[in-house]
PDB file of all heavy atoms in Angstrom:
ATOM      1  N   MET A  98     -23.839  -9.333  -2.354  1.00  0.00           N
ATOM      2  CA  MET A  98     -24.403 -10.615  -2.891  1.00  0.00           C
ATOM      3  C   MET A  98     -23.955 -10.972  -4.247  1.00  0.00           C
ATOM      4  O   MET A  98     -23.705 -12.181  -4.474  1.00  0.00           O
ATOM      5  CB  MET A  98     -26.054 -10.500  -2.879  1.00  0.00           C
ATOM      6  CG  MET A  98     -26.600 -10.363  -1.460  1.00  0.00           C
ATOM      7  SD  MET A  98     -28.349  -9.984  -1.527  1.00  0.00           S
ATOM      8  CE  MET A  98     -29.077 -11.511  -2.089  1.00  0.00           C
ATOM      9  N   VAL A  99     -23.784  -9.996  -5.091  1.00  0.00           N
ATOM     10  CA  VAL A  99     -23.283 -10.197  -6.445  1.00  0.00           C
ATOM     11  C   VAL A  99     -21.827 -10.702  -6.289  1.00  0.00           C
ATOM     12  O   VAL A  99     -21.369 -11.700  -7.015  1.00  0.00           O
ATOM     13  CB  VAL A  99     -23.351  -8.905  -7.307  1.00  0.00           C
ATOM     14  CG1 VAL A  99     -22.532  -9.146  -8.564  1.00  0.00           C
ATOM     15  CG2 VAL A  99     -24.760  -8.593  -7.528  1.00  0.00           C
ATOM     16  N   ILE A 100     -21.094 -10.085  -5.525  1.00  0.00           N
ATOM     17  CA  ILE A 100     -19.651 -10.488  -5.229  1.00  0.00           C
ATOM     18  C   ILE A 100     -19.626 -11.965  -4.771  1.00  0.00           C
ATOM     19  O   ILE A 100     -18.815 -12.752  -5.171  1.00  0.00           O
ATOM     20  CB  ILE A 100     -18.915  -9.516  -4.278  1.00  0.00           C
ATOM     21  CG1 ILE A 100     -18.663  -8.148  -5.070  1.00  0.00           C
ATOM     22  CG2 ILE A 100     -17.504 -10.137  -3.892  1.00  0.00           C
ATOM     23  CD1 ILE A 100     -18.091  -7.126  -4.138  1.00  0.00           C
ATOM     24  N   PHE A 101     -20.394 -12.278  -3.771  1.00  0.00           N
ATOM     25  CA  PHE A 101     -20.569 -13.575  -3.177  1.00  0.00           C
ATOM     26  C   PHE A 101     -20.714 -14.624  -4.275  1.00  0.00           C
ATOM     27  O   PHE A 101     -20.010 -15.644  -4.399  1.00  0.00           O
ATOM     28  CB  PHE A 101     -21.634 -13.717  -2.239  1.00  0.00           C
ATOM     29  CG  PHE A 101     -21.705 -15.092  -1.549  1.00  0.00           C
ATOM     30  CD1 PHE A 101     -21.002 -15.396  -0.279  1.00  0.00           C
ATOM     31  CD2 PHE A 101     -22.446 -16.094  -2.102  1.00  0.00           C
ATOM     32  CE1 PHE A 101     -21.160 -16.565   0.212  1.00  0.00           C
ATOM     33  CE2 PHE A 101     -22.623 -17.367  -1.554  1.00  0.00           C
ATOM     34  CZ  PHE A 101     -21.908 -17.559  -0.282  1.00  0.00           C
ATOM     35  N   SER A 102     -21.682 -14.317  -5.253  1.00  0.00           N
ATOM     36  CA  SER A 102     -21.921 -15.281  -6.309  1.00  0.00           C
ATOM     37  C   SER A 102     -20.805 -15.461  -7.224  1.00  0.00           C
ATOM     38  O   SER A 102     -20.527 -16.554  -7.783  1.00  0.00           O
ATOM     39  CB  SER A 102     -23.217 -14.901  -7.046  1.00  0.00           C
ATOM     40  OG  SER A 102     -22.946 -13.623  -7.782  1.00  0.00           O
ATOM     41  N   LYS A 103     -20.042 -14.424  -7.319  1.00  0.00           N
ATOM     42  CA  LYS A 103     -18.771 -14.527  -8.275  1.00  0.00           C
ATOM     43  C   LYS A 103     -17.623 -15.349  -7.587  1.00  0.00           C
ATOM     44  O   LYS A 103     -16.971 -15.986  -8.277  1.00  0.00           O
ATOM     45  CB  LYS A 103     -18.267 -13.123  -8.585  1.00  0.00           C
ATOM     46  CG  LYS A 103     -19.160 -12.325  -9.536  1.00  0.00           C
ATOM     47  CD  LYS A 103     -18.616 -10.896  -9.726  1.00  0.00           C
ATOM     48  CE  LYS A 103     -19.468 -10.078 -10.661  1.00  0.00           C
ATOM     49  NZ  LYS A 103     -18.966  -8.710 -10.911  1.00  0.00           N
ATOM     50  N   VAL A 104     -17.505 -15.108  -6.350  1.00  0.00           N
ATOM     51  CA  VAL A 104     -16.495 -15.938  -5.641  1.00  0.00           C
ATOM     52  C   VAL A 104     -16.843 -17.422  -5.466  1.00  0.00           C
ATOM     53  O   VAL A 104     -16.030 -18.268  -5.694  1.00  0.00           O
ATOM     54  CB  VAL A 104     -16.265 -15.330  -4.140  1.00  0.00           C
ATOM     55  CG1 VAL A 104     -15.101 -16.123  -3.491  1.00  0.00           C
ATOM     56  CG2 VAL A 104     -15.918 -13.810  -4.226  1.00  0.00           C
ATOM     57  N   ASP A 105     -18.117 -17.713  -5.364  1.00  0.00           N
ATOM     58  CA  ASP A 105     -18.669 -19.009  -5.184  1.00  0.00           C
ATOM     59  C   ASP A 105     -18.783 -19.738  -6.567  1.00  0.00           C
ATOM     60  O   ASP A 105     -19.865 -19.821  -7.101  1.00  0.00           O
ATOM     61  CB  ASP A 105     -19.996 -19.042  -4.539  1.00  0.00           C
ATOM     62  CG  ASP A 105     -20.714 -20.372  -4.344  1.00  0.00           C
ATOM     63  OD1 ASP A 105     -19.911 -21.414  -4.321  1.00  0.00           O
ATOM     64  OD2 ASP A 105     -21.877 -20.438  -4.201  1.00  0.00           O
ATOM     65  N   ILE A 106     -17.718 -20.115  -7.115  1.00  0.00           N
ATOM     66  CA  ILE A 106     -17.698 -20.559  -8.522  1.00  0.00           C
ATOM     67  C   ILE A 106     -18.411 -21.874  -8.669  1.00  0.00           C
ATOM     68  O   ILE A 106     -18.773 -22.291  -9.840  1.00  0.00           O
ATOM     69  CB  ILE A 106     -16.204 -20.647  -9.040  1.00  0.00           C
ATOM     70  CG1 ILE A 106     -15.353 -21.485  -8.170  1.00  0.00           C
ATOM     71  CG2 ILE A 106     -15.627 -19.314  -9.185  1.00  0.00           C
ATOM     72  CD1 ILE A 106     -13.913 -21.718  -8.775  1.00  0.00           C
ATOM     73  N   ASN A 107     -18.474 -22.772  -7.650  1.00  0.00           N
ATOM     74  CA  ASN A 107     -19.112 -24.079  -7.875  1.00  0.00           C
ATOM     75  C   ASN A 107     -20.577 -24.037  -7.465  1.00  0.00           C
ATOM     76  O   ASN A 107     -21.330 -24.999  -7.363  1.00  0.00           O
ATOM     77  CB  ASN A 107     -18.341 -25.075  -6.988  1.00  0.00           C
ATOM     78  CG  ASN A 107     -18.394 -24.942  -5.542  1.00  0.00           C
ATOM     79  OD1 ASN A 107     -18.994 -23.928  -5.006  1.00  0.00           O
ATOM     80  ND2 ASN A 107     -17.834 -25.768  -4.775  1.00  0.00           N
ATOM     81  N   ASN A 108     -21.085 -22.752  -7.080  1.00  0.00           N
ATOM     82  CA  ASN A 108     -22.529 -22.515  -6.823  1.00  0.00           C
ATOM     83  C   ASN A 108     -23.096 -23.375  -5.730  1.00  0.00           C
ATOM     84  O   ASN A 108     -24.243 -23.819  -5.708  1.00  0.00           O
ATOM     85  CB  ASN A 108     -23.349 -22.674  -7.997  1.00  0.00           C
ATOM     86  CG  ASN A 108     -22.902 -21.634  -9.152  1.00  0.00           C
ATOM     87  OD1 ASN A 108     -22.709 -20.415  -8.822  1.00  0.00           O
ATOM     88  ND2 ASN A 108     -22.777 -22.068 -10.313  1.00  0.00           N
ATOM     89  N   ASP A 109     -22.233 -23.707  -4.708  1.00  0.00           N
ATOM     90  CA  ASP A 109     -22.713 -24.499  -3.601  1.00  0.00           C
ATOM     91  C   ASP A 109     -23.312 -23.673  -2.369  1.00  0.00           C
ATOM     92  O   ASP A 109     -23.483 -24.149  -1.245  1.00  0.00           O
ATOM     93  CB  ASP A 109     -21.638 -25.539  -3.147  1.00  0.00           C
ATOM     94  CG  ASP A 109     -20.457 -24.845  -2.524  1.00  0.00           C
ATOM     95  OD1 ASP A 109     -20.329 -23.633  -2.578  1.00  0.00           O
ATOM     96  OD2 ASP A 109     -19.627 -25.644  -1.974  1.00  0.00           O
TER      97      ASP A 109
END
Side-chain angles (χ1 to χ4, degrees):
M98 294 171 69
V99 170
I100 292 176
F101 180 91
S102 65
K103 291 179 178 178
V104 183
D105 179 25
I106 56 176
N107 64 1
N108 298 314
D109 65 352

